[in-house]
Amino acid sequence: NAGVTQTPKFQVLKTGQSMTLQCAQDMNHNSMYWYRQDPGMGLRLIYYSASEGTTDKGEVPNGYNVSRLNKREFSLRLESAAPSQTSVYFCASSDAFGGLREQYFGPGTRLTVT
Amino acid sequence: AQSVTQLGSHVSVSEGALVLLRCNYSSSVPPYLFWYVQYPNQGLQLLLKYTTGATLVKGINGFEAEFKKSETSFHLTKPSAHMSDAAEYFCAVVRGSSNTGKLIFGQGTTLQVKP
C-alpha cells in the first residue's frame, strides 16, 4: 500500500516550457487535491476533484490545468511555465469530499522554473 | 472568511522541554480546526482535529491542542519534546461548510529540537 505517489520528485523547467505532474493513490479515495507550498505562505489549493469525473478551481488556479484520469490518478499541467510557479507541489486524497475528511499527502514535487 | 495565523515561523526548544506552537483563527461560524505535521522531505500528516465536543483534543505522538473560543486560539502542545518532533507544523481551518469546505492553511511553524 503505497498511499499517494507523485512523479517526478524534482524538475527544472525553462520559462515557457510545459510539463505534467502525475499523482496516483491506491486507497480507493474519491477526492483528490493539488496544492502548492511556498515559503511563509503555507499550502494553497490549486485545483481539486471531489469525485471521479469532476474538477474545480481552488484558491490559485491561474496557469494550471488538471485532469482526473480515473479514480486513482489526478494530474496537474503547466502549459507555459513561469518563474512564479517555482514551488513545491503536493497531491492529496481523501475518502470523500468535505472539510472534515482527513487528507493524505504525497511526498511532493519540487519544481524550479528559470 | 475563515483564516488562521500561526505566531512564530520558527520555534526552538531543548529536548525534554515543553513544546508550544501558537495558532489563532478567524471565523464567523463555529470553526473546524486541524494541525498537520510535515517531516523533512515528506508530505503532510494529520496530527489532530477539532470539530465539536471536547475542547481538549489529543493527537498522535503525544501532541494535544485546546480549542479556546474566547481567545480564538487552537494552540498545539507537547509536554516533553523529542528529537523526532523536529518538523514543520501547520494549523488549518475549514473555509465553508463541513461537507463542501476546503482547508485553509496557516503559514507554518518550524520546530527545532536541540539536544
Side-chain angles (χ1 to χ4, degrees):
Chain A
N1 191 336
V4 179
T5 56
Q6 294 182 235
T7 55
K9 285 188 167 48
F10 301 93
Q11 184 71 48
V12 179
L13 291 178
K14 295 188 188 311
T15 297
Q17 288 185 317
S18 63
M19 79 163 294
T20 300
L21 281 64
Q22 306 287 354
C23 172
Q25 52 89 11
D26 63 2
M27 296 175 282
N28 200 34
H29 283 173
N30 289 300
S31 303
M32 299 184 74
Y33 314 81
W34 276 106
Y35 293 90
R36 60 178 289 173
Q37 182 182 27
D38 301 295
M41 300 188 73
L43 277 75
R44 291 179 292 168
L45 184 63
I46 305 172
Y47 271 94
Y48 65 96
S49 172
S51 61
E52 186 179 357
T54 70
T55 60
D56 282 288
K57 296 178 180 178
E59 293 178 82
V60 288
N62 290 345
Y64 305 95
N65 284 301
V66 291
S67 294
R68 184 75 183 266
L69 304 170
N70 48 54
K71 191 172 185 179
R72 289 187 65 247
E73 299 172 287
F74 188 39
S75 63
L76 178 72
R77 183 161 177 83
L78 286 69
E79 291 290 352
S80 179
S84 60
Q85 294 178 304
T86 293
S87 188
V88 181
Y89 291 85
F90 288 99
C91 178
S93 70
S94 59
D95 59 350
F97 184 68
L100 298 186
R101 315 305 294 191
E102 179 177 354
Q103 293 185 24
Y104 294 79
F105 286 79
T109 294
R110 290 186 178 275
L111 175 66
T112 301
V113 183
T114 61
Chain B
Q2 292 88 336
S3 65
V4 290
T5 301
Q6 292 181 240
L7 304 175
S9 58
H10 286 84
V11 170
S12 182
V13 301
S14 297
E15 192 173 19
L18 171 72
V19 175
L20 171 60
L21 304 182
R22 300 177 188 272
C23 172
N24 287 89
Y25 69 89
S26 170
S27 178
S28 57
V29 297
Y32 303 115
L33 296 159
F34 301 75
W35 276 100
Y36 275 82
V37 60
Q38 183 181 25
Y39 297 105
N41 300 313
Q42 294 185 30
L44 278 69
Q45 177 183 356
L46 180 66
L47 266 180
L48 50 81
K49 67 179 179 183
Y50 169 78
T51 54
T52 58
T55 57
L56 183 62
V57 182
K58 294 188 185 302
I60 61 172
N61 301 336
F63 283 93
E64 61 183 34
E66 187 169 11
F67 170 63
K68 292 188 176 180
K69 184 177 178 180
S70 61
E71 298 177 10
T72 62
S73 69
F74 191 56
H75 301 332
L76 183 71
T77 60
K78 182 174 181 177
S80 177
H82 193 273
M83 297 296 290
S84 61
D85 294 326
E88 190 161 18
Y89 292 79
F90 292 93
C91 184
V93 67
V94 172
R95 178 174 292 168
S97 75
S98 60
N99 290 330
T100 62
K102 295 166 266 303
L103 282 180
I104 303 299
F105 288 87
Q107 307 93 316
T109 298
T110 299
L111 176 66
Q112 179 188 23
V113 182
K114 297 179 290 186

